[in-house]
Amino acid sequence: MTRKLFGTDGVRGVANREPMTSEVALALGRAIAAISKSHHRRVIHPRVIHPRHRILIGKDTRLSGYMLETALASGICSMGTDVLLVGPLPTPAVAFLTRSMRADAGVVISASHNLYQDNGIKFFDAKGFKLPDEEELEIEKIVFNTDAKSPRPTADHIGKAFRVDDASGRYISYLKGLFPEGMTLEGIKVVLDCAHGAAYGVAPTILEELGAEVVRIGVTPNGTNINEGVGALYPEKMQETVKKEKAAIGIALDGDADRAVFCDERGDRVPGDAVLAILAKDLLDKGRLAQKGFVATVMSNLALEHLAQSWGCQLFKAAVGDRYVVEELRKRKLNFGGEQSGHIVFLDHATTGDGMLAAIRLLEIVVSSGRPVSELARILKPYPQVLINVKVREKKPFEEIAAVRDQAARVEKELSGKGRLLLRYSGTENLARVMIEGENEQKIQKLAEDLAGCLQKNLG
């Protein structure tokens, strides 16, 4: 079955336009309730007349979140399933609460790094993992099967919705509990950019209660300013503030806080692959890196793979998207991986990328080693890499476009084994991404621009 709704990270689009409408959200609510009921048989006391399945809903700070939250809750309740509403919280917090509160599924309403006019819906199973492709297709079948007669509970079998007032406190306590006992962040100044997003309340609290002095950016959401010139996609303000405040580190989260980017004490951006290397080496040195292997994506720099080999480790590559990193980790029984873009997964503690978990782990290394972030970041010297995004009108297979296919072949020939080309479509936006890596930066820049121009001419 061809996917009609789901991309690489749930359903996403402009809010109040297909597919991000109240009608679709209601249908998705009914579908996830139906699937969670069929997958989870509750063991209950014999005196209980009928079981109560529960689905947890969280969101970021977008204005359209109210509309979609109400529609989803209505659809879920119409199937006789209760709803737990936790309000604005990071995506990893929703995953954590789904499993810790023993809900049958979790839902996040967020378009992550996109601007406020967009929104999205993504689902977690009872263990806090994002649904696999086959279950997303199962949801689509239910949504589009208009002939099917779904059950319509009545009377006291209709579901109810509840606000979980202590949801943020549960997540804060959990993350603080992962920081080493007896260690403190006292004396460390941190610049924290929350992108006016889902972590605006919990993230500063976590760091401050661990002892850090926190300089806050992006903590005044108004429904329309999420990711607007701040956060992981726009780290410049964080970098400038670190220099101005003479802070030890800068942390910038995206809108739903499942990823983070960092800068050092000089305000220089720390490459995502260097962050992965720092964290992986720390786990390896402590004997906590499962099977001496970790996972990155096809976007990660070739230098990371060579560095891992020098440690006697193996680096596995997954498709782009933290859900695919997690799938690779589970398949290979590993416990650490991530993406160059800032999604970092500690599978022993979280089931999805968690920007704040990555942040406190990095801060732990800063404190325990006594080394500044700039020194830690020297662990990896990336090979030159160029990434160009091209807006496209359609996502036609590249091999079906002769000009693009031939240009890509010329690039591969030019690289002649001393670099690599990765050409792919974004899973969440109408973009084609050209990534070229190689020894000569000027050469790969020219190759990338030529290929991007070919894409623009044929698909733009």
Side-chain angles (χ1 to χ4, degrees):
M1 180 178 173
T2 304
R3 297 163 74 90
K4 298 178 181 179
L5 291 175
F6 287 91
T8 56
D9 198 20
V11 184
R12 195 175 295 192
V14 177
N16 224 17
R17 292 185 184 173
E18 295 288 342
M20 281 285 93
T21 63
S22 296
E23 293 83 357
V24 172
L26 188 142
L28 287 168
R30 288 177 59 78
I32 189 62
I35 286 174
S36 65
K37 273 191 172 183
S38 67
H39 289 187
H40 303 285
R41 303 296 180 191
R42 286 188 170 271
V43 179
I44 57 172
H45 191 279
R47 285 187 174 179
V48 177
I49 297 173
H50 55 81
R52 278 289 186 185
H53 288 75
R54 302 182 301 168
I55 293 177
L56 188 141
I57 301 178
K59 60 182 179 179
D60 63 22
T61 55
R62 293 163 210 269
L63 180 64
S64 57
Y66 295 99
M67 172 187 77
L68 296 171
E69 178 187 57
T70 302
L72 274 163
S74 178
I76 293 167
C77 289
S78 76
M79 295 293 287
T81 297
D82 288 347
V83 174
L84 303 175
L85 299 168
V86 300
L89 275 180
T91 287
V94 174
F96 160 71
L97 290 166
T98 297
R99 67 180 187 273
S100 71
M101 297 186 71
R102 299 190 179 187
D104 299 287
V107 188
V108 176
I109 304 167
S110 174
S112 189
H113 58 271
N114 293 26
L115 291 176
Y116 85 96
Q117 60 264 30
D118 292 344
N119 217 327
I121 296 172
K122 46 192 171 186
F123 298 102
F124 293 96
D125 66 18
K127 294 181 179 179
F129 290 104
K130 290 180 180 177
L131 299 186
D133 291 343
E134 56 268 23
E135 287 192 29
E136 290 183 342
L137 284 173
E138 194 177 343
I139 289 174
E140 288 199 5
K141 286 178 183 178
I142 295 173
V143 169
F144 291 110
N145 188 2
T146 54
D147 295 330
K149 292 185 177 179
S150 299
R152 299 273 181 174
T154 60
D156 63 338
H157 290 269
I158 294 172
K160 295 180 286 187
F162 304 87
R163 289 277 169 194
V164 183
D165 295 328
D166 64 344
S168 60
R170 290 173 184 240
Y171 177 64
I172 290 168
S173 295
Y174 178 69
L175 279 194
K176 283 170 53 186
L178 298 178
F179 198 71
E181 188 175 352
M183 185 179 284
T184 179
L185 295 179
E186 288 180 13
I188 294 182
K189 183 183 283 190
V190 178
V191 173
L192 176 64
D193 184 346
C194 296
H196 299 303
Y200 78 96
V202 295
T205 302
I206 291 166
L207 295 180
E208 286 171 349
E209 292 190 2
L210 289 173
E213 178 186 350
V214 179
V215 179
R216 304 183 182 202
I217 300 172
V219 292
T220 55
N222 60 16
T224 63
N225 61 356
I226 187 170
N227 300 314
E228 188 177 28
V230 289
L233 254 66
Y234 304 97
E236 295 81 10
K237 189 172 184 179
M238 168 195 72
Q239 293 171 267
E240 292 167 7
T241 307
V242 164
K243 289 187 282 188
K244 178 183 174 184
E245 294 285 341
K246 295 182 171 53
I249 189 173
I251 304 164
L253 306 169
D254 67 343
D256 67 335
D258 63 350
R259 67 186 179 109
V261 301
F262 302 92
C263 75
D264 65 22
E265 73 282 0
R266 299 176 303 196
D268 294 333
R269 172 87 176 267
V270 181
D273 285 329
V275 175
L276 281 172
I278 294 166
L279 296 170
K281 187 62 163 61
D282 180 68
L283 288 170
L284 178 67
D285 291 345
K286 292 174 179 174
R288 297 178 187 169
L289 189 66
Q291 302 189 67
K292 292 188 176 181
F294 61 105
V295 175
T297 74
V298 293
M299 294 295 288
S300 279
N301 199 280
L302 196 59
L304 182 62
E305 186 173 347
H306 292 167
L307 183 62
Q309 290 170 354
S310 72
W311 299 337
C313 286
Q314 190 167 2
L315 178 67
F316 299 93
K317 296 289 185 76
V320 174
D322 74 322
R323 60 181 291 199
Y324 299 116
V325 171
V326 171
E327 286 177 8
E328 192 74 12
L329 289 172
R330 297 177 77 186
K331 181 175 78 174
R332 297 187 180 278
K333 295 180 169 46
L334 302 175
N335 65 346
F336 176 74
E339 293 192 274
Q340 187 185 60
S341 61
H343 290 112
I344 296 176
V345 183
F346 292 87
L347 201 56
D348 290 337
H349 306 296
T351 55
T352 187
D354 190 328
M356 281 308 297
L357 177 53
I360 64 173
R361 280 287 184 243
L362 186 56
L363 283 163
E364 177 188 335
I365 296 169
V366 170
V367 173
S368 62
S369 69
R371 298 162 66 194
V373 177
S374 60
E375 186 179 329
L376 293 171
R378 291 186 203 133
I379 192 171
L380 180 77
K381 186 178 180 181
Y383 299 148
Q385 191 179 76
V386 175
L387 174 64
I388 300 178
N389 293 322
V390 180
K391 288 187 178 181
V392 296
R393 61 181 180 273
E394 60 176 330
K395 295 181 180 180
K396 191 175 181 180
F398 298 119
E399 61 272 13
E400 293 182 8
I401 308 167
V404 173
R405 184 181 64 240
D406 294 345
Q407 184 67 30
R410 283 192 287 272
V411 170
E412 295 278 14
K413 186 177 180 180
E414 282 283 333
L415 293 171
S416 61
K418 295 184 178 179
R420 65 187 182 109
L421 163 68
L422 181 64
L423 181 60
R424 69 179 188 89
Y425 288 114
S426 166
T428 57
E429 301 173 84
N430 283 336
L431 294 175
R433 303 195 194 278
V434 179
M435 191 280 284
I436 300 181
E437 201 170 74
E439 296 175 342
N440 187 313
E441 190 165 5
Q442 288 183 329
K443 179 179 178 179
I444 63 173
Q445 181 71 42
K446 177 68 165 57
L447 291 173
E449 288 173 356
D450 288 347
L451 183 50
C454 183
L455 286 165
Q456 180 66 46
K457 182 178 179 181
N458 289 274
L459 285 169

